[in-house]
């Protein structure tokens, strides 16, 4: 069974393609991590999945439905939430408003409120800062807010673009552990883009290594951890 | 002292209209980062729509409603048909397009209605009510102040209390992230223009009877004063627009009363200059960090 199925994805900006035929599968309740050096095309991949970029070729199927050509603002309604690179906390809005934004399209207002309360329980640091503006938060708090805001949509697949960027190792560890728990307890699937290879592989079920827009390895996370040749060639440790 | 009181009250009544019109400017600036120089011409078009409806039906209030409806349609139409296609490569693009719209709208209005001044009626008397021997506000002035107050309260509620307001703010601050969160940014932009044009229509309806009459260029000077008010208030701030509008109204009233009506345009410019020298971002510009 697959939740997300990507076939032969070719994506470019104005000039030459950046992704050259990427294949990828994410089963439900699984964490798949996408690894690769700077400029490998990880962000480009996520932005294409959520509809911010249009693929030149290839298919994206989510829950059996094609996502190609679906407008960005509709993708989240289908159950796919994208936390972008840099987190995307709206700096001018308060913590509370950012969280409300996460469920703004949903008709089930009761469940939205429930989901917001769950986020505050998950991240007590946010509960203490409800009325603070986004720009007053620390990096870690912003990551919690961005993650929590995405969860208010009750997604089935979460796209995370380098959540550990700029965070202390302790916070990174907490966030990775939380992802694992959500995955195991709620069946959430995660496509986790990371440069922090060690912590990503420690939490993920599967890994995909991207190099210059091509998938050069796809295997169980444990297997990637143990493959010294691959680690040296593409992951730098 | 009586004269000072009179000028103050008169300035506040005028300033209320500038505040409303400045709010229209601020709404579009916040939503689209465009200074809509066509706001005045758009408002005049809606007042002509009201004029025609009132002529046909004999009812001021039907005309009033027609102006607001025309504003919504005109604002939405201009965003959908024109502004959406202006490339964002330079901020000048939208300014030039807006100026082109001014010429177009004024030419069309001139062709339909002619270029003479048409008197427009008011729903209430414009003769001042005498308080303690001084002729102060007229009933019409009270209507203007009340209408602007209602407008300000409604806009404040919209932006701070409703989900639409939250989505509008978020769409303006962070369009891409908002789309990822399911916000229809393009639709809200159209709504923002429609709302701003309706606010402009209200301001036009309120101010035209106090000018020489209805004419394709009636709103030109009002626009300059209101634009000054919006800049004084920081362009981004609705509260700033209201305070700026009242300030400009007072300055113009005092200047006209104490120095003669010839100097009022100069007084507007002087105010703009002083504010920009002291606080280049406007009086109410928030200190914002956009970095993530
Ligand atoms: N907006 C853009 N226009 C043109 N080229 C771009 C654009 N964004 C990215 N690229 C190019 O596409 C390639 C892949 O970029 P991408 O951001 O997807 O890489 P990444 O794997 O996310 O890198 P990083 O780890 O640094 O975030 C790079 O060569 C980059 O220069
Ligand atoms: Mg990236």
């Amino acid at each position: 069974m697959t939740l997300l199925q990507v076939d032969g994805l070719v994506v470019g900006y104005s000039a030459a393609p950046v992704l050259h035929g990427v294949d990828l599968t994410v089963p439900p309740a699984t964490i798949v991590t996408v690894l690769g050096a700077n400029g490998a095309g990880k962000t480009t991949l996520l932005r294409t999945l959520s509809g911010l970029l249009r693929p030149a070729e290839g298919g994206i199927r989510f829950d059996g439905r094609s996502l190609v050509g679906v407008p960005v603002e509709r993708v989240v309604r289908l159950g796919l939430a994208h936390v972008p690179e840099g987190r995307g906390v709206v700096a001018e809005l308060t913590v509370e408003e950012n969280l409300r934004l996460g469920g703004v399209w949903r008709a089930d207002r009761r469940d939205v409120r429930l989901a917001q309360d769950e986020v505050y329980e998950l991240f007590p640091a946010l509960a203490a800062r409800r009325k603070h503006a986004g720009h007053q938060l620390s990096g870690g708090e912003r990551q919690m807010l961005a993650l929590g805001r995405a969860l208010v949509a009750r997604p089935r697949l979460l796209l995370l673009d380098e959540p550990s960027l700029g965070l202390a190792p302790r916070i990174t560890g907490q966030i990775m552990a939380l992802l694992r728990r959500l995955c195991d307890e709620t069946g959430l699937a995660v496509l986790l883009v990371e440069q922090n290879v060690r912590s990503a592989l420690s939490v993920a079920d599967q890994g995909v290594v991207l190099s210059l827009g091509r998938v050069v390895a796809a295997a169980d996370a444990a297997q990637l951890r143990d493959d010294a040749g691959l680690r040296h060639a593409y992951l730098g440790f | 002292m009586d004269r000072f009181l009179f000028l103050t009250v008169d300035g506040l009544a005028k300033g209320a209209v500038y505040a409303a019109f400045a709010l229209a400017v601020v709404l579009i600036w916040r939503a689209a980062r465009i200074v809509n120089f066509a706001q005045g011409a758009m408002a005049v078009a809606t007042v002509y729509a009201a004029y025609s409806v009132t002529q046909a039906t004999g009812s001021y209030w039907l005309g009033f409603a027609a102006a607001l409806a025309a504003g919504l349609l005109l604002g939405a139409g201009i965003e959908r048909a024109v502004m959406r296609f202006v490339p964002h490569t330079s901020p000048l693009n939208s300014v030039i397009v807006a100026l082109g719209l001014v010429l177009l709208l004024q030419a069309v209005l001139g062709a339909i209605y002619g270029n003479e001044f048409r008197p427009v009626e008011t729903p209430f008397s414009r003769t001042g009510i005498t308080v303690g021997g001084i002729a102060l506000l007229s009933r019409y002035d009270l209507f203007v102040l009340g209408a602007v107050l209602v407008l300000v309260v409604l806009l404040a509620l919209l932006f701070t209390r409703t989900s639409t307001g939250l989505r509008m703010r978020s769409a303006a601050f962070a369009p891409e992230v908002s789309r990822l969160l399911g916000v229809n940014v393009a639709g809200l932009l159209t709504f923002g223009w429609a709302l701003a044009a309706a606010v402009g229509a209200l301001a036009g309806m309120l101010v035209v009877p106090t000018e020489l009459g209805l004419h394709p260029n009636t709103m030109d000077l009002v626009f300059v004063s209101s634009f000054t008010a919006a800049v004084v208030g920081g362009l981004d701030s609705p509260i700033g627009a209201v305070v700026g509008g009242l300030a400009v109204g007072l300055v113009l009233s005092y200047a006209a009363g104490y120095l003669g009506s010839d100097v009022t345009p100069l007084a507007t410019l002087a105010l703009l200059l002083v504010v920009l020298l002291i606080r280049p971002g406007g009086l109410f510009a928030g200190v914002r960090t956009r970095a993530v």
Side-chain angles (χ1 to χ4, degrees):
Chain A
M1 202 169 61
T2 63
L3 184 61
L4 178 77
Q5 170 103 38
V6 177
D7 288 305
L9 208 59
V10 177
V11 188
Y13 294 92
S14 44
V18 168
L19 298 181
H20 310 267
V22 168
D23 300 324
L24 187 78
T25 310
V26 182
T30 310
I31 301 181
V32 177
T33 180
V34 177
L35 306 169
N38 290 113
K42 306 181 295 293
T43 297
T44 304
L45 174 64
L46 292 197
R47 290 174 65 82
T48 311
L49 296 181
S50 58
L52 288 169
L53 295 172
R54 221 167 220 281
E57 284 173 47
I60 305 165
R61 297 193 78 76
F62 179 71
D63 204 17
R65 188 179 194 285
S66 173
L67 287 188
V68 178
V70 177
V72 180
E73 56 269 21
R74 304 229 47 105
V75 169
V76 70
R77 289 166 166 77
L78 301 174
L80 190 155
H82 180 177
V83 180
E85 201 168 19
R87 299 164 189 134
V89 166
V90 184
E92 293 86 348
L93 300 183
T94 63
V95 167
E96 206 167 74
E97 288 169 330
N98 268 284
L99 269 193
R100 266 170 62 203
L101 212 48
V104 84
W105 56 271
R106 296 187 54 199
D108 188 348
R109 304 313 302 166
R110 264 171 61 131
D111 188 60
V112 169
R113 272 191 297 277
L114 195 67
Q116 286 171 353
D117 292 342
E118 285 170 23
V119 171
Y120 285 132
E121 266 170 47
L122 229 42
F123 303 114
L126 292 183
R129 296 191 186 284
R130 281 171 204 245
K131 301 285 176 202
H132 287 231
H135 64 80
Q136 295 174 306
L137 300 183
S138 73
E141 287 161 350
R142 279 181 213 201
Q143 187 56 57
M144 295 172 200
L145 180 54
L147 193 58
R149 190 178 62 183
L151 293 176
V152 173
R154 300 257 191 239
R156 278 172 298 158
L157 175 63
L158 195 57
L159 308 180
L160 295 179
D161 201 339
E162 303 206 30
S164 76
L165 196 71
L167 298 191
R170 191 174 57 83
I171 310 273
T172 302
Q174 276 172 13
I175 285 183
M176 295 297 163
L178 172 68
L179 292 178
R180 188 69 256 170
R181 217 177 77 215
L182 288 170
C183 177
D184 295 340
E185 288 174 9
T186 70
L188 178 74
V190 182
L191 190 60
L192 172 67
V193 161
E194 262 304 339
Q195 296 239 17
N196 191 336
V197 177
R198 280 170 203 275
S199 60
L201 283 178
S202 72
V203 73
D205 301 296
Q206 299 169 19
V208 169
V209 182
L210 217 55
S211 173
L212 299 176
R214 288 194 169 77
V215 175
V216 292
D220 284 348
Q223 221 169 317
L224 290 178
R225 262 197 311 266
D226 299 337
D227 187 333
L230 194 78
R231 281 202 330 247
H232 289 142
Y234 296 108
L235 303 178
F237 79 100
Chain B
M1 194 56 214
D2 291 356
R3 185 162 173 71
F4 177 76
L5 187 61
F6 169 77
L7 291 174
T8 304
V9 168
D10 190 52
L12 289 177
K14 277 213 161 54
V17 176
Y18 298 149
F21 213 48
L23 274 172
V25 172
V26 166
L27 280 175
I28 290 185
W29 172 257
R30 280 171 62 110
R33 298 283 130 182
I34 287 173
V35 175
N36 181 19
F37 285 98
Q39 202 94 60
M42 288 164 65
V44 173
T46 65
V47 179
Y48 272 109
Y51 176 81
S52 289
V53 169
T54 298
Q55 290 275 303
T57 63
S59 160
Y60 172 85
W61 296 108
L62 278 181
F64 191 86
L68 299 186
L72 289 173
L73 289 176
L74 188 63
I78 284 179
E79 194 280 320
R80 275 287 157 109
V82 184
M83 287 302 175
R84 176 162 297 197
F85 303 102
V86 177
H88 296 295
T89 44
S90 150
L92 260 187
N93 293 349
S94 59
V95 172
I96 290 166
V97 170
L99 292 177
L101 274 173
V102 173
L103 298 180
L104 179 72
L105 283 169
Q106 289 182 345
V108 169
L109 291 173
I112 298 174
Y113 293 95
N115 277 312
E116 70 266 26
F117 283 91
R118 288 167 188 261
V120 286
E121 57 171 304
T122 55
F124 303 102
S125 156
R126 291 200 58 216
T127 34
I129 304 165
T130 312
V131 180
I134 329 161
L136 284 177
L137 294 171
S138 67
R139 286 178 192 285
Y140 184 70
D141 291 332
L142 291 176
F143 166 62
V144 169
L145 287 170
V148 173
L149 186 66
V150 168
L151 170 75
V152 169
V153 170
L154 286 181
L155 284 179
L157 289 177
L158 170 71
F159 277 102
T160 59
R161 290 290 145 86
T162 70
S163 152
T164 304
L166 176 64
R167 281 182 283 152
M168 286 176 83
R169 284 185 291 152
S170 149
F173 292 136
E176 188 175 287
V177 167
S178 302
R179 292 190 75 198
L180 288 175
L181 296 171
V183 175
N184 180 354
V185 173
L188 285 175
L189 189 58
T190 307
F191 177 67
W193 275 81
L195 184 65
V199 171
L202 173 69
M205 284 303 287
L206 296 177
V207 77
V208 167
T210 70
E211 301 283 308
L212 289 174
L214 186 53
H215 178 276
N217 294 83
T218 305
M219 294 291 282
D220 288 1
L221 272 179
V222 177
F223 176 76
V224 173
S225 303
S226 305
F227 173 67
T228 304
V231 173
V232 165
L235 262 185
D236 243 331
S237 161
I239 299 168
V242 172
V243 176
L246 296 177
V248 169
L250 286 174
V251 166
L252 292 191
S253 180
Y254 294 142
Y258 292 121
L259 307 171
S261 54
D262 302 344
V263 301
T264 46
L266 277 178
T268 314
L269 290 179
L271 178 67
L272 183 60
L273 202 65
V274 168
V275 167
L276 291 184
L277 283 175
I278 302 170
R279 284 207 64 175
L283 289 179
F284 288 79
V287 189
R288 286 214 171 101
T289 32
R290 200 50 84 74
V292 204

